[in-house]
Coordinates of all heavy atoms in Angstrom, one line a residue:
E1 N 1.3 2.2 8.1 CA 1.6 3.6 8.5 C 0.9 4.0 9.8 O 1.1 5.1 10.2 CB 1.3 4.6 7.4 CG 2.2 4.4 6.2 CD 1.9 5.4 5.1 OE1 1.1 6.4 5.3 OE2 2.5 5.3 4.0
H2 N 0.1 3.1 10.4 CA -0.6 3.3 11.6 C -1.4 4.6 11.5 O -1.3 5.5 12.4 CB 0.4 3.4 12.8 CG 1.2 2.1 13.0 ND1 0.6 1.0 13.4 CD2 2.5 1.8 12.7 CE1 1.6 0.0 13.5 NE2 2.7 0.5 13.0
V3 N -2.2 4.8 10.5 CA -2.9 6.0 10.2 C -4.0 6.2 11.3 O -4.3 7.3 11.7 CB -3.5 5.9 8.8 CG1 -4.4 7.1 8.5 CG2 -2.4 5.9 7.8
F4 N -4.7 5.1 11.7 CA -5.8 5.2 12.5 C -5.5 4.7 14.0 O -4.9 3.7 14.1 CB -7.0 4.4 11.9 CG -7.4 4.9 10.6 CD1 -7.1 4.1 9.4 CD2 -8.0 6.1 10.4 CE1 -7.4 4.6 8.2 CE2 -8.3 6.6 9.1 CZ -8.0 5.8 8.0
T5 N -6.1 5.4 14.9 CA -5.8 5.1 16.3 C -7.1 5.1 17.2 O -7.0 4.9 18.4 CB -4.8 6.0 17.0 OG1 -5.3 7.3 16.9 CG2 -3.4 5.9 16.3
T6 N -8.3 5.4 16.6 CA -9.5 5.4 17.3 C -10.5 4.4 16.8 O -10.2 3.8 15.7 CB -10.2 6.8 17.3 OG1 -10.6 7.1 15.9 CG2 -9.3 7.9 17.7
V7 N -11.6 4.2 17.4 CA -12.6 3.2 17.0 C -13.1 3.6 15.7 O -13.5 2.7 14.9 CB -13.7 3.1 18.1 CG1 -14.5 4.4 18.2 CG2 -14.5 1.9 17.9
V8 N -13.2 4.8 15.3 CA -13.7 5.3 14.0 C -12.8 4.7 12.9 O -13.2 4.2 11.9 CB -13.8 6.8 13.9 CG1 -14.2 7.3 12.5 CG2 -14.8 7.3 15.0
G9 N -11.5 4.9 13.1 CA -10.5 4.4 12.1 C -10.5 2.9 12.1 O -10.4 2.3 11.0
Y10 N -10.6 2.2 13.3 CA -10.6 0.8 13.3 C -11.8 0.2 12.6 O -11.7 -0.8 11.8 CB -10.6 0.3 14.7 CG -9.3 0.6 15.5 CD1 -9.3 0.9 16.8 CD2 -8.1 0.7 14.8 CE1 -8.2 1.2 17.5 CE2 -6.9 1.0 15.5 CZ -7.0 1.3 16.9 OH -5.8 1.6 17.5
A11 N -12.9 0.8 12.7 CA -14.1 0.4 12.0 C -13.9 0.5 10.5 O -14.3 -0.4 9.7 CB -15.4 1.2 12.4
F12 N -13.3 1.6 10.0 CA -13.0 1.8 8.6 C -12.1 0.7 8.1 O -12.2 0.2 7.0 CB -12.5 3.2 8.4 CG -12.1 3.5 7.0 CD1 -13.1 3.5 6.0 CD2 -10.8 3.7 6.6 CE1 -12.7 3.8 4.7 CE2 -10.4 3.9 5.3 CZ -11.4 4.0 4.3
L13 N -11.0 0.5 8.9 CA -10.1 -0.6 8.5 C -10.7 -1.9 8.4 O -10.5 -2.7 7.5 CB -8.9 -0.7 9.5 CG -7.9 0.5 9.5 CD1 -6.9 0.3 10.6 CD2 -7.2 0.6 8.1
N14 N -11.6 -2.2 9.3 CA -12.4 -3.5 9.3 C -13.2 -3.6 8.0 O -13.3 -4.6 7.3 CB -13.2 -3.7 10.5 CG -13.7 -5.1 10.7 OD1 -13.0 -6.0 10.4 ND2 -14.9 -5.2 11.1
E15 N -13.8 -2.5 7.7 CA -14.7 -2.4 6.4 C -13.8 -2.6 5.2 O -14.2 -3.4 4.3 CB -15.3 -1.0 6.3 CG -16.1 -0.8 5.1 CD -16.6 0.7 5.0 OE1 -16.8 1.3 6.0 OE2 -16.8 1.1 3.9
L16 N -12.6 -2.0 5.2 CA -11.7 -2.2 4.0 C -11.2 -3.7 4.0 O -11.2 -4.3 2.9 CB -10.5 -1.3 4.2 CG -10.6 0.2 3.9 CD1 -9.3 0.9 4.2 CD2 -11.1 0.4 2.5
R17 N -10.9 -4.2 5.1 CA -10.5 -5.6 5.2 C -11.6 -6.6 4.6 O -11.3 -7.4 3.8 CB -10.1 -6.0 6.6 CG -9.6 -7.4 6.7 CD -9.3 -7.7 8.2 NE -8.7 -9.1 8.3 CZ -7.5 -9.4 8.2 NH1 -6.6 -8.5 8.0 NH2 -7.1 -10.6 8.4
N18 N -12.8 -6.4 5.0 CA -13.9 -7.2 4.6 C -14.1 -7.1 3.0 O -14.3 -8.0 2.3 CB -15.2 -6.9 5.3 CG -15.2 -7.3 6.7 OD1 -14.4 -8.2 7.1 ND2 -16.0 -6.7 7.6
T19 N -14.0 -5.8 2.6 CA -14.2 -5.6 1.1 C -13.0 -6.3 0.3 O -13.3 -6.9 -0.7 CB -14.2 -4.1 0.8 OG1 -15.2 -3.4 1.6 CG2 -14.4 -3.8 -0.7
A20 N -11.8 -6.2 0.9 CA -10.7 -6.8 0.2 C -10.8 -8.3 0.1 O -10.5 -9.0 -0.9 CB -9.4 -6.4 0.9
V21 N -11.3 -8.9 1.2 CA -11.5 -10.4 1.3 C -12.6 -10.8 0.4 O -12.5 -11.8 -0.4 CB -11.7 -10.8 2.8 CG1 -12.1 -12.3 2.8 CG2 -10.4 -10.6 3.6
I22 N -13.8 -10.2 0.5 CA -15.0 -10.6 -0.2 C -14.9 -10.2 -1.7 O -15.1 -11.1 -2.6 CB -16.3 -10.0 0.4 CG1 -16.4 -10.6 1.8 CG2 -17.5 -10.3 -0.4 CD1 -17.5 -9.8 2.7
R23 N -14.7 -9.0 -2.0 CA -14.7 -8.6 -3.4 C -13.4 -8.7 -4.1 O -13.3 -8.9 -5.3 CB -15.1 -7.1 -3.5 CG -16.6 -6.9 -3.1 CD -17.0 -5.5 -3.3 NE -18.4 -5.3 -2.9 CZ -19.2 -4.4 -3.4 NH1 -18.7 -3.5 -4.2 NH2 -20.4 -4.3 -2.9
G24 N -12.3 -8.6 -3.4 CA -11.0 -8.7 -4.0 C -10.4 -10.1 -4.0 O -9.3 -10.3 -4.6
K25 N -11.1 -11.0 -3.4 CA -10.7 -12.4 -3.3 C -9.3 -12.5 -2.7 O -8.5 -13.4 -3.2 CB -10.7 -13.1 -4.7 CG -12.1 -12.9 -5.4 CD -13.1 -13.9 -4.8 CE -14.3 -13.9 -5.7 NZ -15.5 -13.5 -5.1
I26 N -8.9 -11.6 -1.8 CA -7.6 -11.7 -1.2 C -7.8 -12.6 0.1 O -8.6 -12.3 0.9 CB -7.1 -10.3 -0.8 CG1 -7.0 -9.4 -2.0 CG2 -5.8 -10.3 0.0 CD1 -6.7 -7.9 -1.7
P27 N -6.9 -13.6 0.2 CA -7.0 -14.4 1.4 C -6.7 -13.6 2.7 O -5.8 -12.8 2.7 CB -6.0 -15.5 1.2 CG -5.6 -15.4 -0.2 CD -5.9 -14.0 -0.7
P28 N -7.5 -13.8 3.7 CA -7.3 -13.1 5.0 C -5.9 -13.2 5.6 O -5.4 -12.4 6.2 CB -8.4 -13.6 5.9 CG -9.3 -14.4 5.1 CD -8.7 -14.7 3.8
E29 N -5.3 -14.4 5.3 CA -3.9 -14.6 5.8 C -2.9 -13.7 5.2 O -1.8 -13.4 5.8 CB -3.5 -16.1 5.5 CG -4.4 -17.2 6.0 CD -5.6 -17.4 5.0 OE1 -5.3 -17.6 3.8 OE2 -6.7 -17.5 5.5
R30 N -3.2 -13.2 4.0 CA -2.2 -12.3 3.3 C -2.3 -10.9 3.8 O -1.4 -10.1 3.5 CB -2.4 -12.4 1.8 CG -2.0 -13.7 1.2 CD -2.0 -13.7 -0.3 NE -1.3 -12.6 -0.9 CZ -1.6 -12.1 -2.0 NH1 -2.6 -12.5 -2.7 NH2 -0.9 -11.1 -2.5
L31 N -3.4 -10.5 4.5 CA -3.6 -9.2 5.0 C -3.1 -9.1 6.4 O -3.3 -9.9 7.2 CB -5.1 -8.8 4.9 CG -5.7 -8.7 3.5 CD1 -7.2 -8.5 3.7 CD2 -5.1 -7.6 2.7
P32 N -2.4 -7.9 6.7 CA -1.9 -7.8 8.1 C -3.1 -7.5 9.0 O -4.2 -7.0 8.6 CB -1.0 -6.5 8.0 CG -1.5 -5.8 6.8 CD -2.0 -6.8 5.8
V33 N -2.9 -7.8 10.3 CA -3.9 -7.6 11.3 C -4.0 -6.2 11.6 O -3.0 -5.4 11.5 CB -3.7 -8.5 12.5 CG1 -3.9 -10.0 12.2 CG2 -2.4 -8.2 13.1
I34 N -5.1 -5.7 12.2 CA -5.2 -4.3 12.6 C -4.5 -4.1 14.0 O -5.0 -4.8 14.9 CB -6.7 -3.9 12.7 CG1 -7.4 -4.1 11.3 CG2 -6.9 -2.5 13.2 CD1 -8.9 -3.9 11.4
P35 N -3.5 -3.3 14.0 CA -2.8 -3.1 15.3 C -3.5 -2.2 16.2 O -3.8 -1.0 15.8 CB -1.4 -2.6 14.9 CG -1.7 -1.9 13.6 CD -2.8 -2.6 12.9
V36 N -3.9 -2.6 17.4 CA -4.6 -1.8 18.4 C -3.5 -1.5 19.5 O -3.2 -2.4 20.2 CB -5.8 -2.4 18.9 CG1 -6.5 -1.5 20.0 CG2 -6.8 -2.7 17.8

């Protein structure tokens, strides 16, 4: 939904991505990249 467009939002998305990969055991290939 392109919710975030600033560095604050991008940092939060990166945090979510890391949590999903590490704790959720979701392969990084299955997650979409952060569009800048």
Side-chain angles (χ1 to χ4, degrees):
E1 294 183 6
H2 303 287
V3 175
F4 301 109
T5 59
T6 67
V7 68
V8 174
Y10 295 146
F12 177 67
L13 287 175
N14 194 38
E15 177 187 331
L16 289 177
R17 182 180 181 88
N18 291 338
T19 304
V21 170
I22 295 169
R23 293 187 181 202
K25 307 283 190 242
I26 300 173
E29 307 83 47
R30 290 189 51 210
L31 294 173
V33 295
I34 300 172
V36 178

